Every structure is written in structure tokens, then in C-alpha cells.
Amino acid sequence: MKNPCYINGIGAVNAQGTWSDDPFTHIAEISNPLTMAIQPSYKELIPPAMIRRMSKGIKMGIFASQQALDDAAMGQVDAIITGTGLGCLEDSEKFLRNVLDNDEQFLTPTSFIQSTHNTVGAQIALRLGCKSYNFTYVNGATSFESALLDALIQMESEEANHVLVGGIDEIAGQTFVLKQLVQEVKANGTEEKLRDSQSPGVNFGEGGTFFALSTAKKDNTYAQILDVSIQNKSATEELTDFVTSFLTRNQISLADISAVVIGNNGDLVYDKYYTSFCTLFADKPQIFYKHLVGQSDVAAAFGLATAAFVLKNQIIPEAIQWNAVKHSALNYVLLYNQYLGKDHSLTLLHHVET
Amino acid sequence: MQNGIAITGMGIVSAIGLSVADNLNSLRNAQKGITQVDNFETSLRDRVRVGEIKLSNEQLSEKLHLPIDNSMTRTGMLGALAAQQAVANAQIDVTSQNYRTGLVSSTSVGGMDITEKYFYAYENRPELHRYIASHDAGVSSQHIADHLGLKGFVTTISTACSSAANAIMLGAQLIKSGRLDRVIVGGTDALSKFTLNGFNTLMILSDTYCKPFDQNRKGLNLGEAAAYLILESDEIVRKENKKVLAYLSGYGNANDAFHQTASSENGEGAYLAMQKAFKIARLSPQDIDYINAHGTATPNNDLSEGRALIRVFGERVPAFSSTKAYTGHTLAAAAGIEAVYSILALQNDLLFPNLNFETPMEEFQLLPQMRLLHQSVNHVLSNSFGFGGNCSTLIFSKA
């Protein structure tokens, strides 16, 4: 019998602010192509001198990870696993510009040091004094799911009982000018909510979402994570097979799924994958979330938080209902995400009686 | 009783050769690949030495038969070259539906070599736009997967200079957990102005040939490389009667939790990583015949790693060497190429020399292996440590 994996704590920083017991009531749907996170106060967590030197990504990661640990009343962990698509952009760009603008002269190391993709995971380990397993995944839209799969493997194989897993991506600088140039991100001045999307590209959003996972459940456990599957490419017509073979491996059928959480982002070209996915679950409640936090390579981590909230509370707040199907008891929830037709992932959660 | 995960193929491109055979030949003949930077303009040219692969991006593209309008970066192309060698070596068909095949790649710079070239040019040059998306680290892995025709599980790890060790470690665990039948694992990193200047600001670049574990070491030589292994499940090995090159018998990752870039004085993270690897391998320190050390030749690393070795092995530290004097420190690829060298040590019963060593360090009595040595090699331990306190150890055993 493999060790189970329970979500015992959640922490997040994004366009809606920070994670709370009631995250879907007072919300503001985003319509800005580049939606920044509402930054919390960091002074309770990070010394002032360090706050100034740290990029948003590092700070959001520290905040969200601590919030998740607090939520789970967890002190130490056996593994810290992070995912980030674009990494520490702010510091990377700062150093790159200095190299290019000053002809490789007058450079200082701070931004280079903090530009490494594993900076957030490393900084969390440093402040927790955590000497255990520490991995960082950088694989586009499956960066977070890769981290989550690794967490599952560590727990199943009894290498770890308590794991901190999270995703972080920040919006900074020229990278996003370029993303707008190639119409990956909607043009500045566009104001389209997800459901009203008419122009090419997506609304991007930054943030950090962390989970305190444990092999033991508690009174306040959100849900159990059963499995994660990642596929680099898939045609829309191959999607059914991707879903059914995943469910079969986990010994459940399409009919067992109580609700689905989809990562649709208003992209006119690629949201057809979600339409296709949803036809498999037409009679089930469908839940969406990127209208709240925007698209990013790790936005699906917020999707997982959404699914965990729904399973724990057995409610689907109106703000996240994609279709009009009413829910009954929520037992199995399936998440699906892809970006630009690539990096497809499925995550299966189960309700936990506490 | 099986002794780890089977390795059935390997591929490598580095400054000392564009194939496994070329690399072995250079290792045997003490031929280092350290030179000045020739592939791009840099004001550091006269002040640093690097392990550079003497092929331009155009030449790499030709070698890979890429279309003229491809969007691969140097990191992706080096990776594709090494990965296709590994696939050919293991004689596997990655498109086969009979087995679940995955790719776990790793990189630290991703597409930075292209980004630093075109960062300000993109806005006015639409013909370059195809490269914009190639900046992301994960895209290099996608390109490698596409080049190989692999559709399935693909992911990318980036934990600085221990990246490829962690990719190899994850690959082994994916097979053990039953999620994959076989997996291509390793790492790739191209030289860039960005990393060159980054390490220069840290003042840990040597202006001459690096001297790992030497009292008078002045820092590291950066390098570029890519290397991949093919890991396969026991079931495939049995069913297809596959030739096994070596086994990955142990692995461990730990965090030094000391400093973002510096290693702790007593090598705590390194010590913990080695202990974990022994536990997984069910081996003890006296079973190790050769250590391929991280040995970057920075004052900090070699002292910290040396102390960790003494903590683990006591008075009897086995023969050890750093091969970074041959190749330079190839960052995310380092543990990949050193995995290949560890396997070559097992296959050929050879210990590779720690080039450029002259003077023992005053802090301890450790003497690296100075000459090529023929000797029975059954188990090799390979260390890789990265920024963020990331420490990884792999143990390879004879097939």
C-alpha cells in the first residue's frame, strides 16, 4: 500500500490578494493583459534589508509557503519542491540589461545570484533551515505539476512524510513586451474578461501558490491527491484517450468524477482543448479560475487550491462556475490544464472525510 | 537481486569531444578542452578560459539537419546532439507505443545565449520573433523531445549546477514508481555572456587553467556541454535482453541551507547527499573505488567538498578526481557528463586524472588521483553541488 498524499495547508499570493478561508466571495475578475499580484506586507516574515533586495517572486514564494505551513500547523518538512515557468525574471533581466548596456562592466552579483531558477526553493530552505530534498522544475505550463508529481513520488516511496510544494511566477520587464509582440499576451489597453475574450492572446497574471502536503490527514485536511499525469503534446482528438487511460490507471471511470476544474484562459485558438475536454463531462459541474488570477505557467497551482477548497467545503461558489450544472456530493475532482496546445496535465483529487 | 536502475545508453558532447568515444580518448590522453572564448564576443576574452565546443550554432544546426527557420537555441541543439546519441546507443525507438518513454532534461541558462544576442533587436526584426519563446528553460526540452519524436512525459529540472544529477535521480524514481518504462535523463547548458559575467562578478573565475583541489587554485573555468543517459526498467532489460552499460544504484539530494551561493564550511549538504545515496544503494563508503568529485576549483567548493569527503570516508578516502580541468564547469550539464565519465570508469576499469594539480591543500591531507590508472572499478560516486545549497550524489555500479 502506497502512502497517501493529503493537502493539509494552502497559501497563495495573486491578483485577488492572499489565500483565505473564503477566497471566492470578494473577488474582482481580471481584465488587464498584465495583472499584478496584490502584494501583502512582508515585514512580519522577512528582515527589512532583505525585503528591498528580494524580487517579487521570492517574496511571494516565502509568503505563500509560510501561509501553507501555518494553515497545516506544520513546522518542518522533508522536501521543498517548486515549479516556475519563467523563473526569477526580475533579477535575470536586471543582470542581462547591465551586461548589455554597460558592455560587461560595473556589474554586481546580487541580481545574478538571485536569477537562478531554484532561488525561491533555496530561500525557503534557508529560512526554514531545511536540509532536505530540494528540487525545482522549469517546464512551461507543467512546471507546477512536475513538482506535484515529484512530491507524490517522494511520499509514495516513503522518502518524505511532509512536503512543501508550490509554483511561483512573476511578471517583469521586457519579457512581457516580447510576449505581447508575438501576441501570446493581449495588447496593452485591451480590457477583456475571460468570457468576453475576442482578441488574440491571454491575460497574464503573477503569483505564488503553495501546499503543505502530508501522508497523515488532519481535522482540516482539504483533499487527497491521488495522481498526476503529464503529456508534452496532444491533439484535441487524443484528449479522450489521455483522460480515460489516466482514470483507468487510477481505477475509476468518467462517471465517478463529480466535477472538473479547467485551465481555460480566453485564448481564442487553444481553448478548444478545454471545450473538447468538457464534452466528456457535459453533465458535471465545470469550474474555472484563470479569470481570477490570470494565465501563468504555474496558474494551475491555484486551480489545485480551488479544487481543494471545493472538496473540503462541498460547495462550488458562483464566481468559479463555468457551466450551469448543479453539483451533488463532491467526491472525485479532475483538473485539466494545457497551454498553447502543449504541456497537458491531469490531476485527480478525492474528498477526505475528516 | 537487482542492483539499481539499468543504464542502456549514453550520449555526450563536450569541449573534449562530440561523442562518448572522443571523450574517453581525451580523458585517457590528458587532453583538456580549455581555451579562450571563440564563439562570441566578450570583453572577458583575455581574462577567462572556458571549455567551449568549437562548433558555431550554424554548424550545430547542420549536424542536426534542422530546417533553416528553426527556433532552437544552442542549449537545445547541444542537448539534441547528445540525446540522439544516447537513443542510438540504447537502440530504442522513442515513438514506440509498447513502452512509456519520457524525457527529464535540465538546464540553467535555457535560451539565454539567443536572448542576450537579440534582446533589443526583437522589436524591429520580425524574422527573429520565432526565438522569443525559446528563452524559457523548458523549451529546450520540448525541442529535444520534438527532435527525437518523443511524445509523452517531458519535464525539466533547474537546480543550478546539480541539475542533471537531479534529472537522473527523478528518472530513476519515475521508473521505480511504475510511471515510466524508460526515460532519457541528463542536462544541457550553452556558454553565454550572461553566465560568464555572472560568475565573474562572484570573482570565482580563474584566468588560467583551473586546478581542482590545489592549494593555489584560483577559481573555475566555465564550460558548455550536454549529456544524456537512457534508463530502462528491469522488465524491458529482461524481455529484450538488453545490454546494460552500468547501473544507477544510489542517489541522494540534500540542501546545505547555509548560503545562496557559498557552501558551508563542513560540507553539510554534501555529507547528507552522500549518506542518502549510500542508503538507497545499500552500499557503504568502503565499497567505492572512485569518486568523480564536483571539484570546481573554487576556494570554497573544494574545501567544503574535501571536508565532506573526510566526514563520509574518514581516513580512507578512495581515489578521487575532478574532471572539470578537462571540460570546464558545465553547470546544469556537469552531472550528466560526469555520469558518462563515471560509467566509462566502470566499463574500462580506469580512474581519470585530476589535471593541473601541483600542491596539496593545507587544510587536509587529500591528494587527488594525478595520473590515469588502470584498476578494478566496481562502484563510482559522483558529486554535484549547485547554487541555493543544492547538493546531489549519484552512485554508479558495474553491470
Side-chain angles (χ1 to χ4, degrees):
Chain A
M1 189 64 190
K2 290 186 295 194
N3 267 339
C5 169
Y6 298 106
I7 300 176
N8 286 356
I10 297 176
V13 180
N14 54 51
Q16 302 301 326
T18 57
W19 185 252
S20 72
D21 293 337
D22 181 21
F24 300 109
T25 304
H26 306 286
I27 50 97
E29 232 181 295
I30 66 160
S31 58
N32 190 326
L34 297 173
T35 306
M36 301 302 174
I38 299 172
Q39 298 292 322
S41 163
Y42 293 109
K43 61 178 192 291
E44 295 78 13
L45 287 179
I46 311 169
M50 288 173 75
I51 290 181
R52 280 193 302 277
R53 278 205 305 268
M54 282 178 171
S55 66
K56 281 188 291 191
I58 303 174
K59 286 185 280 202
M60 292 191 292
I62 287 176
F63 185 96
S65 60
Q66 189 57 51
Q67 194 182 23
L69 290 175
D70 290 345
D71 192 22
M74 200 182 278
Q76 266 303 342
V77 293
D78 311 315
I80 297 170
I81 310 174
T82 60
T84 177
L86 300 170
C88 297
L89 269 187
E90 199 176 306
D91 284 307
S92 303
E93 259 194 39
K94 196 192 276 178
F95 192 74
L96 177 63
R97 280 176 186 279
N98 285 338
V99 169
L100 298 177
D101 298 352
N102 306 319
D103 193 28
E104 304 176 70
Q105 309 296 316
F106 320 115
L107 298 165
T108 53
T110 307
S111 54
F112 175 71
I113 290 170
Q114 295 189 156
S115 74
T116 344
H117 287 86
N118 63 332
T119 304
V120 178
Q123 288 292 328
I124 293 170
L126 256 183
R127 67 181 289 276
L128 296 178
C130 178
K131 293 177 180 173
S132 44
Y133 189 88
N134 197 305
F135 267 39
T136 298
Y137 291 87
V138 294
N139 198 67
T142 47
S143 298
F144 171 72
E145 287 84 343
S146 297
L148 190 62
L149 178 63
D150 188 358
L152 267 180
I153 291 174
Q154 298 311 314
M155 294 167 85
E156 286 173 4
S157 64
E158 298 176 12
E159 287 295 314
N161 285 314
H162 304 289
V163 177
L164 193 52
V165 63
I168 322 94
D169 262 313
E170 61 187 13
I171 292 178
Q174 185 72 4
T175 299
F176 282 86
V177 173
L178 298 179
K179 281 184 183 296
Q180 289 180 315
L181 201 61
V182 292
Q183 298 192 328
E184 184 189 331
V185 175
K186 290 183 187 296
N188 282 342
T190 318
E191 256 193 62
E192 298 171 355
K193 289 181 179 171
L194 194 151
R195 278 190 198 268
D196 315 323
S197 175
Q198 285 175 353
S199 66
V202 298
N203 289 328
F204 231 86
E206 62 178 4
T209 313
F210 273 77
F211 301 87
L213 307 178
S214 174
T215 50
K217 65 179 173 183
K218 300 182 64 168
D219 290 346
N220 59 343
T221 292
Y222 286 84
Q224 182 182 358
I225 303 173
L226 294 177
D227 204 1
V228 181
S229 183
I230 289 169
Q231 171 91 12
N232 66 334
K233 279 180 158 181
S234 174
T236 45
E237 57 273 19
E238 293 168 324
L239 207 49
T240 306
D241 185 47
F242 180 47
V243 174
T244 50
S245 55
F246 176 67
L247 294 182
T248 308
R249 277 204 302 280
N250 286 283
Q251 293 161 349
I252 64 167
S253 66
L254 286 171
D256 294 325
I257 301 295
S258 325
V260 293
V261 177
I262 54 171
N264 57 327
N265 54 21
D267 186 300
L268 302 175
V269 182
Y270 294 102
D271 268 1
K272 67 180 181 205
Y273 278 97
Y274 297 106
T275 313
S276 202
F277 175 83
C278 283
T279 56
L280 297 172
F281 303 97
D283 57 341
K284 302 290 168 62
Q286 297 159 3
I287 297 166
F288 74 137
Y289 56 91
K290 287 185 184 165
H291 59 308
L292 303 179
V293 297
Q295 169 66 39
S296 80
D297 283 325
V298 297
F302 189 74
L304 180 64
T306 304
F309 173 87
V310 161
L311 276 170
K312 180 181 183 177
N313 297 287
Q314 293 288 306
I315 53 163
I316 302 178
E318 204 184 326
I320 54 174
Q321 290 173 15
W322 177 248
N323 65 358
V325 177
K326 293 278 170 269
H327 71 92
S328 41
L330 294 160
N331 198 18
Y332 288 99
V333 170
L334 180 65
L335 293 96
Y336 169 57
N337 192 59
Q338 61 78 28
Y339 187 49
L340 303 176
K342 290 179 287 199
D343 296 326
H344 303 259
S345 66
L346 293 167
T347 305
L348 183 63
L349 297 192
H350 190 236
H351 175 62
V352 173
E353 291 294 341
T354 55
Chain B
M1 160 89 198
Q2 68 116 335
N3 41 356
I5 300 285
I7 299 161
T8 59
M10 54 183 177
I12 182 170
V13 290
S14 79
I16 59 167
L18 300 178
S19 67
V20 172
D22 289 351
N23 272 267
L24 177 59
N25 193 44
S26 299
L27 287 170
R28 279 179 187 273
N29 296 305
Q31 282 169 350
K32 52 180 170 274
I34 307 299
T35 63
Q36 287 192 316
V37 183
D38 292 324
N39 285 334
F40 56 90
E41 296 286 318
T42 170
S43 62
L44 298 176
R45 189 165 194 273
D46 295 333
R47 283 186 278 152
V48 300
R49 295 282 182 281
V50 294
E52 190 176 53
I53 294 171
K54 299 299 178 192
L55 290 173
S56 67
N57 285 7
E58 291 68 32
Q59 288 168 314
L60 287 172
S61 174
E62 272 170 36
K63 264 187 160 319
L64 290 163
H65 309 291
L66 298 179
I68 196 91
D69 61 345
N70 79 82
S71 57
M72 277 175 92
T73 63
R74 189 171 177 84
T75 298
M77 289 192 286
L78 294 176
L81 266 181
Q84 74 183 26
Q85 282 176 29
V87 166
N89 185 216
Q91 297 181 301
I92 60 171
D93 172 12
V94 301
T95 62
S96 161
Q97 296 296 306
N98 299 335
Y99 299 115
R100 292 162 301 167
T101 306
L103 168 67
V104 183
S105 187
S106 62
T107 178
S108 69
V109 296
M112 188 57 89
D113 73 293
I114 293 286
T115 303
E116 67 190 20
K117 227 184 273 179
Y118 301 136
F119 194 64
Y120 291 128
Y122 281 130
E123 282 185 79
N124 300 315
R125 293 180 59 187
E127 78 278 11
L128 296 175
H129 286 182
R130 65 181 196 276
Y131 284 119
I132 289 176
S134 304
H135 173 75
D136 301 5
V139 174
S140 59
S141 315
Q142 279 183 23
H143 283 157
I144 295 167
D146 288 349
H147 183 74
L148 300 174
L150 173 69
K151 206 162 140 180
F153 180 90
V154 174
T155 196
T156 313
I157 289 175
S158 193
T159 52
C161 310
S162 57
S163 298
N166 293 342
I168 293 169
M169 208 177 297
L170 179 78
Q173 295 179 90
L174 283 164
I175 289 179
K176 278 189 183 174
S177 81
R179 285 177 169 89
L180 289 179
D181 301 309
R182 59 189 181 195
V183 54
I184 304 161
V185 292
T188 177
D189 254 339
L191 275 170
S192 71
K193 237 195 263 198
F194 184 92
T195 36
L196 214 50
N197 279 283
F199 281 89
N200 192 49
T201 62
L202 292 168
M203 297 185 284
I204 52 175
L205 290 182
S206 170
D207 57 359
T208 177
Y209 299 122
C210 75
K211 299 164 84 106
F213 297 104
D214 190 288
Q215 174 65 24
N216 303 314
R217 64 198 183 283
K218 294 166 79 178
L220 56 84
N221 301 136
L222 277 179
E224 60 184 356
Y228 291 86
L229 308 179
I230 309 293
L231 306 181
E232 297 199 72
S233 71
D234 287 341
E235 202 193 324
I236 301 188
V237 170
R238 245 193 333 266
K239 214 154 78 185
E240 305 209 341
N241 200 17
K242 298 223 47 169
K243 182 178 177 228
V244 177
L245 308 181
Y247 287 93
L248 173 67
S249 50
Y251 45 79
N253 172 267
N255 199 281
D256 208 26
F258 172 72
H259 187 269
Q260 179 65 23
T261 53
S263 298
S264 61
E265 205 166 308
N266 63 351
E268 179 72 2
Y271 171 80
L272 292 171
M274 286 188 269
Q275 295 290 24
K276 281 187 183 179
F278 280 120
K279 199 175 142 213
I280 297 274
R282 290 190 221 136
L283 291 172
S284 40
Q286 59 265 32
D287 295 320
I288 300 298
D289 303 303
Y290 168 58
I291 298 167
N292 187 296
H294 187 52
T296 56
T298 64
N300 176 241
N301 176 81
D302 294 3
L303 179 58
S304 176
E305 185 175 10
R307 289 204 164 123
L309 290 177
I310 292 167
R311 280 176 76 188
V312 172
F313 292 93
E315 295 293 300
R316 297 169 55 197
V317 176
F320 72 97
S321 64
S322 162
T323 44
K324 288 190 171 69
Y326 283 95
T327 59
H329 183 8
T330 60
L331 307 179
I337 66 172
E338 287 158 28
V340 171
Y341 299 162
S342 298
I343 295 164
L344 286 173
L346 290 166
Q347 287 182 312
N348 299 283
D349 288 317
L350 268 183
L351 307 186
F352 305 117
N354 189 103
L355 302 181
N356 309 333
F357 178 84
E358 288 167 338
T359 315
M361 288 167 61
E362 64 186 20
E363 292 89 348
F364 40 59
Q365 307 294 316
L366 293 178
L367 288 179
Q369 182 61 36
M370 285 162 66
R371 280 189 313 277
L372 187 75
L373 184 67
H374 278 272
Q375 175 189 295
S376 166
V377 183
N378 290 307
H379 301 285
V380 178
L381 180 145
S382 173
N383 278 334
S384 298
F385 314 132
F387 278 8
N390 208 284
C391 300
S392 296
T393 298
L394 301 175
I395 298 176
F396 298 93
S397 301
K398 205 176 210 120

